[in-house]
Amino acid sequence: MLLDTPVRLGVQIEPQHATYPQIREAAARLEDLGVDILFNWDHFFPLHGDPDGPHFESWTMLAAWAEQTERVEFGALVNCNSYRNADLQADMARTIDHISARGGDTGRFIFGTGSGWFERDYDEYGYEFGTAGSRLTALGRDLDRVVSRWEKLNPPPTRRIPIMIGGAGEQKTLRFVARHADIWHSFVPAEGLAHKISVIENWAETEGRDLSGLIVSNELKNRGESDADALFDAGTRLFTLGWAPGSPDYDVVKRWLRWRDGKNAV
């Protein structure tokens, strides 16, 4: 199913426990270092550390990155589908796509999305938490709406905006991957990827979709090069690294960039 595409490195700049100038500086330096993709996350409170510490909102930050950066692709890892009307999400994505275009180039925005899980966000911002099943059902319905809205907008997106779907549930999430995704992101270990990919392939037959260009994405944080090598051998080509701008470690990014370049040189 999968094409042997180049290895790319994405860095998830955690939008927590930092000032915005620190986040802005991190985005600039990471682009200069040669990172392929910048991500943040779509939450309203820190996910670790002081739960009431500093934290910034995802989509407004992504619009700022669209203007600030020149080369990198970027997006949320991942957007929470529950927090915004689906058609609004499509319009926001299209607008950020245009902001990020330079000259005659296409935009650089990646629409990463998932069903949501952080109950505090829902409770404090007044969203209905529901159940894991109801949130997944809403995600499937709303992805159809997002794609449909992109076809109606004037002007349309500058390119077919890549869709990145996070999760590994076999009955719903992986079917949505088969139906819509250009990138599938998960934390599945290397030894479990073959099975999950076979599930996606089976759903792709049901959906009647060619997934020969699907990119498999996985996480590097707290993993070593042997883990990354195993994920690579299992088909992973996008590797993401969670990273704290309040206490930046550029050496770890440089190490993973050298590993990426070594894989691409073979």
Side-chain angles (χ1 to χ4, degrees), residues 131-149:
T131 65
S134 68
R135 294 192 301 276
L136 280 166
T137 297
L139 175 64
R141 177 192 67 230
D142 289 349
L143 277 167
D144 292 337
R145 288 175 57 190
V146 167
V147 173
S148 177
R149 179 57 56 184

Side-chain angles (χ1 to χ4, degrees), residues 11 16 20 25 32 38 40 64-65 69 75 77 86 88-89 94 97-98 103 129 155 192-193 200 221 233-234 243 256:
V11 174
Q16 63 172 17
Y20 194 76
E25 172 65 16
D32 288 344
L38 297 179
N40 61 16
W65 289 358
T69 60
L77 187 61
L88 175 61
Q89 292 179 56
R94 180 280 309 257
D97 169 69
H98 276 266
F129 188 58
L193 280 178
I200 297 172
K221 191 174 183 180
D233 291 340
W243 194 79
W256 285 115

Side-chain angles (χ1 to χ4, degrees), residues 52-101:
D52 295 311
H55 194 279
F56 292 98
E57 193 276 329
S58 172
W59 280 83
T60 45
M61 184 184 298
L62 294 173
W65 289 358
E67 191 64 54
Q68 173 188 343
T69 60
E70 297 286 337
R71 177 191 58 79
V72 289
E73 292 188 290
F74 62 94
L77 187 61
V78 286
N79 166 68
C80 177
N81 178 66
S82 303
Y83 301 158
R84 302 161 195 90
N85 169 279
D87 294 86
L88 175 61
Q89 292 179 56
D91 206 340
M92 293 164 68
R94 180 280 309 257
T95 300
I96 292 176
D97 169 69
H98 276 266
I99 294 170
S100 69

Side-chain angles (χ1 to χ4, degrees), residues 208-235:
R209 182 167 177 238
D210 176 15
L211 284 185
S212 59
L214 181 70
I215 302 297
V216 175
S217 171
N218 213 302
E219 171 64 33
L220 288 173
K221 191 174 183 180
N222 299 323
R223 285 171 163 166
E225 289 193 10
S226 61
D227 300 310
D229 288 340
L231 287 167
F232 174 87
D233 291 340

